[in-house]
């Protein structure tokens, strides 16, 4: 699993668990919720991957931005980067994103020289038939006593419009802590924070009540509790005791719970 999968795993799970809510049997306490089809959720999961593609490119460009105060222009793979004192611009033209998808558009990035914080703004940015607009701000923290550990705070105000016209809006803040082993593929991480996911007219509030724990070797989170609220109907999802599996426990407002399989 690459780094984009780690950074955007939070978004992916918010949609997986929204689907879990829709799969629960309806009762009086669940009035006002709107069913979400499995096909729709799979489509939204793809959206999380697409935003990740863009963010990985922004991060790589930030690391390679060169000396501040000097204007330069470089071509990396299929995009052109123009670098200034406290900003840079990435212009994409038919970049190959795989699976027949092309990346086009512009990402403008601003930062303070010498800092580890930067904001990316997406302008006329598309991946295949999906468009992305809005901003994401990344703030990176490094433990100088242990350079294998670092944190990333991601603040989002993004709108994604899918090819079928569905609109997904992501707002709020996610906090990641990463620990990288001697083998750089061995990455453990935790996630906390609060954010909202709006799918057309439905808004889901996501809160991490117990930090979610995962690793690059596991597809799903292995520990932690996520709460999801829609129309005052709140459920919690417990990812378990550390086992690397696709099983979680969903608890409803009345206290009843059921085991769900995330990869169905």
């Amino acid at each position: 699993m690459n780094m984009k999968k780690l950074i955007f795993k939070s978004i992916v799970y918010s949609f997986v668990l929204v689907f879990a809510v829709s799969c629960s049997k309806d009762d009086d306490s669940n009035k006002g919720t709107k069913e979400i089809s499995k096909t729709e959720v799979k489509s939204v999961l793809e959206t999380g991957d697409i935003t990740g593609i863009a963010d990985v490119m922004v991060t790589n460009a930030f690391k390679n931005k060169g000396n501040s105060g000097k204007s330069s222009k470089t071509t990396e793979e299929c995009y052109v980067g123009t670098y200034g004192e406290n900003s840079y611009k990435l212009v994409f033209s038919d970049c190959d994103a795989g699976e027949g998808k092309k990346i086009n558009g512009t990402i403008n990035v601003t930062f303070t020289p010498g800092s580890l914080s930067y904001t990316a703004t997406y302008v006329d940015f598309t991946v295949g038939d999906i468009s992305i607009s809005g901003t994401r701000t990344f703030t990176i923290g490094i433990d100088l006593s242990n350079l294998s550990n670092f944190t990333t705070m991601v603040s989002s105000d993004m709108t994604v419009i899918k090819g079928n016209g569905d609109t997904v809006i992501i707002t709020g803040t996610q906090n990641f802590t990463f620990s990288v082993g001697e083998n750089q593929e061995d990455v453990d991480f935790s996630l906390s924070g609060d954010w909202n996911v709006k799918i057309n007219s439905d808004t889901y509030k996501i809160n991490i009540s117990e930090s979610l724990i995962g690793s690059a070797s596991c597809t799903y989170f292995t520990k932690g509790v996520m709460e999801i609220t829609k129309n005052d109907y709140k459920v919690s999802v417990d990812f378990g005791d550390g086992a690397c599996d696709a099983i979680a426990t969903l608890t409803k407002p009345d206290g009843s719970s059921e085991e769900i399989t995330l990869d169905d």
Side-chain angles (χ1 to χ4, degrees):
M1 180 180 295
N2 57 35
M3 188 60 71
K4 81 178 180 69
K5 290 287 188 179
L6 298 177
I7 294 175
F8 293 96
K9 185 170 279 191
S10 58
I11 299 171
V12 170
Y13 285 108
S14 68
F15 291 120
V16 169
L17 298 176
V18 166
F19 170 60
V21 174
S22 72
C23 287
S24 303
K25 294 181 179 179
D26 291 333
D27 56 28
D28 290 341
S29 64
N30 202 15
K31 287 182 178 179
T33 60
K34 181 178 180 181
E35 184 178 356
I36 299 175
S37 70
K38 189 171 186 176
T39 300
E40 179 185 1
V41 173
K42 285 185 176 181
S43 178
V44 174
L45 293 179
E46 182 183 36
T47 303
D49 285 344
I50 291 170
T51 57
I53 291 172
D55 288 325
V56 165
M57 292 179 177
V58 170
T59 301
N60 288 339
F62 179 75
K63 290 188 295 184
N64 299 322
K65 62 183 180 298
N67 297 325
S68 62
K70 294 183 178 181
S71 180
S72 61
K73 185 175 183 178
T74 63
T75 301
E76 298 289 340
E77 297 178 354
C78 60
Y79 69 83
V80 175
T82 304
Y83 297 85
E85 182 177 358
N86 56 4
S87 66
Y88 60 91
K89 176 193 294 187
L90 307 179
V91 179
F92 299 81
S93 179
D94 287 335
C95 294
D96 184 10
E99 300 181 356
K101 298 182 178 68
K102 298 295 185 180
I103 303 175
N104 287 282
T106 300
I107 305 177
N108 295 313
V109 181
T110 59
F111 59 91
T112 300
S115 77
L116 293 177
S117 180
Y118 53 97
T119 297
T121 301
Y122 300 83
V123 180
D124 297 327
F125 192 84
T126 60
V127 180
D129 61 357
I130 295 177
S131 67
I132 303 171
S133 60
T135 62
R136 288 172 75 81
T137 297
F138 300 82
T139 302
I140 301 170
I142 298 176
D143 181 357
L144 294 179
S145 65
N146 185 357
L147 295 179
S148 64
N149 293 337
F150 63 96
T151 62
T152 301
M153 182 176 70
V154 184
S155 298
S156 304
D157 187 359
M158 293 188 70
T159 298
V160 176
I161 301 177
K162 301 191 295 177
N164 63 3
D166 284 348
T167 300
V168 179
I169 300 174
I170 304 166
T171 58
T173 301
Q174 297 152 315
N175 301 297
F176 296 86
T177 299
F178 295 94
S179 178
V180 182
E182 292 184 5
N183 178 353
Q184 292 190 357
E185 296 295 321
D186 182 16
V187 180
D188 296 321
F189 63 95
S190 66
L191 166 65
S192 61
D194 299 273
W195 65 95
N196 295 334
V197 176
K198 184 176 182 181
I199 307 174
N200 295 327
S201 60
D202 297 316
T203 299
Y204 303 88
K205 298 181 182 298
I206 314 298
N207 171 256
I208 307 302
S209 55
E210 296 180 18
S211 293
L212 304 184
I213 307 298
S215 71
S217 61
C218 296
T219 302
Y220 300 98
F221 289 113
T222 58
K223 295 181 68 174
V225 178
M226 172 184 282
E227 296 178 342
I228 304 172
T229 304
K230 176 188 176 185
N231 298 330
D232 296 324
Y233 184 85
K234 181 168 69 174
V235 300
S236 66
V237 181
D238 189 329
F239 286 91
D241 59 2
C244 184
D245 57 28
I247 304 299
T249 300
L250 185 149
T251 302
K252 304 174 187 177
D254 63 5
S256 63
S257 62
E258 61 181 298
E259 190 174 86
I260 59 174
T261 301
L262 299 174
D263 58 2
D264 277 346

